[in-house]
Amino acid sequence: MVSLNIYLLLLAGIHLTLAAPSRDRRRQETTTGCPKNSSELNECVGTSIQYFVNFMASGKLSPKVAITPFDPLLLPNMTISHQAKEFKAIYVNRYLVGLKNSFIYDTSVDLDKLELSMTFLMPALELLGMYSGESLVDHEGSENSILTISVRSSTAKFRVKGELYKSPEHLEYLRISGVDVELSMGPYVINDLDHSTHIPRVNRHLNDISRPEFVKLIEKDLRVQLSSRLQHIANEVLALAPYEKLFPV
């Protein structure tokens, strides 16, 4: 059975370097991270991230240890304003489903600079929430409705920067100080209608903005949310494991 310590280390790999069982059999019993000088460092980190993404989305490490879950990933409310079209809308109680089915590739680690880059292939994402709009002219509003956006074959490239700091116990820890995300959304469906059709009349005020323009706003928001929310989750875990446990010499 994999130890709790390894689970803690694996969770650190959302954006930055994280632990994985050593591939060097001579060190397998004493090493739980990715050795700094290993020729398979990139592969070790990539494998660990893949394991984490697939099996630890709930955030539960043990009956007593848990972090913020990332699938479903809860998102803050979103306000959409369009002065030229004279309407505004709110998209609330939102959450994103499907990150745990991602595939990780092109992992690159630079421990000297504390940098990591990797690309996620996300076969299927579902963004759900309550949507309502209001005209700025007559203040006529649409009914609240569940707005679902289904996206297929999206990619996200993460570039992550980290920094080291010392705990009160004088142990060195790693935390993420910056995340850059390049997100490319694939074909989408809104409320079970293909993107070539009209948005349902229940969301009348969505008709005041073109679908491509609306989805572009969603894409921009998701890019920001993936950066901030996943950085927060990763730093929750990084605070649990000293740097030397992640990358032993």
Side-chain angles (χ1 to χ4, degrees):
M1 179 178 294
V2 182
S3 69
L4 173 60
N5 185 42
I6 294 179
Y7 280 155
L8 293 175
L9 300 182
L10 282 167
L11 283 168
I14 298 176
H15 287 127
L16 247 163
T17 51
L18 74 169
S22 172
R23 292 178 177 276
D24 187 339
R25 292 184 179 180
R26 294 172 297 179
R27 304 183 59 181
Q28 198 166 23
E29 295 188 1
T30 59
T31 299
T32 58
C34 293
K36 291 182 179 180
N37 299 321
S38 171
S39 61
E40 298 179 331
L41 178 62
N42 290 340
E43 181 182 0
C44 179
V45 172
T47 299
S48 299
I49 295 173
Q50 186 69 71
Y51 180 87
F52 163 70
V53 168
N54 291 157
F55 300 108
M56 309 198 70
S58 69
K60 294 181 180 179
L61 284 67
S62 77
K64 295 183 179 181
V65 182
I67 64 164
T68 302
F70 71 88
D71 196 344
L73 181 67
L74 299 182
L75 303 176
N77 297 341
M78 180 181 182
T79 299
I80 302 170
S81 297
H82 203 302
Q83 295 297 327
K85 300 290 182 65
E86 299 182 318
F87 89 99
K88 68 177 180 179
I90 56 173
Y91 195 14
V92 302
N93 298 328
R94 301 187 302 151
Y95 58 94
L96 183 69
V97 178
L99 290 175
K100 67 182 179 181
N101 298 318
S102 299
F103 298 97
I104 316 301
Y105 63 97
D106 288 342
T107 303
S108 178
V109 181
D110 187 331
L111 293 183
D112 293 330
K113 296 181 179 180
L114 294 180
E115 293 179 349
L116 166 71
S117 67
M118 58 184 171
T119 301
F120 281 60
L121 173 60
M122 301 171 287
L125 296 176
E126 301 282 342
L127 177 62
L128 302 94
M130 295 298 297
Y131 178 90
S132 63
E134 179 184 12
S135 168
L136 299 179
V137 177
D138 56 18
H139 299 288
E140 181 183 357
S142 64
E143 297 180 1
N144 290 330
S145 62
I146 298 176
L147 179 62
T148 303
I149 303 174
S150 303
V151 189
R152 300 292 180 263
S153 302
S154 300
T155 59
K157 184 169 185 178
F158 291 84
R159 294 186 180 88
V160 182
K161 178 67 178 177
E163 62 183 13
L164 296 174
Y165 68 98
K166 287 196 175 180
S167 69
E169 295 78 23
H170 304 291
L171 295 174
E172 201 167 45
Y173 284 78
L174 181 65
R175 67 181 164 214
I176 296 171
S177 57
V179 178
D180 178 66
V181 180
E182 293 180 12
L183 176 63
S184 178
M185 287 174 53
Y188 59 88
V189 173
I190 299 180
N191 278 15
D192 298 324
L193 293 179
D194 185 77
H195 65 277
S196 62
T197 65
H198 294 294
I199 295 173
R201 298 303 295 181
V202 68
N203 287 322
R204 182 176 62 82
H205 293 293
L206 266 178
N207 289 323
D208 294 329
I209 184 172
S210 68
R211 271 178 184 267
E213 187 176 2
F214 176 74
V215 173
K216 187 175 182 179
L217 292 174
I218 294 295
E219 185 176 47
K220 180 180 179 181
D221 174 73
L222 278 181
R223 184 168 62 248
V224 173
Q225 300 309 327
L226 287 174
S227 174
S228 62
R229 296 298 295 147
L230 295 183
Q231 178 175 340
H232 171 78
I233 294 171
N235 280 332
E236 280 186 328
V237 181
L238 288 171
L240 300 175
Y243 178 73
E244 65 179 7
K245 295 293 185 180
L246 301 178
F247 299 102
V249 177

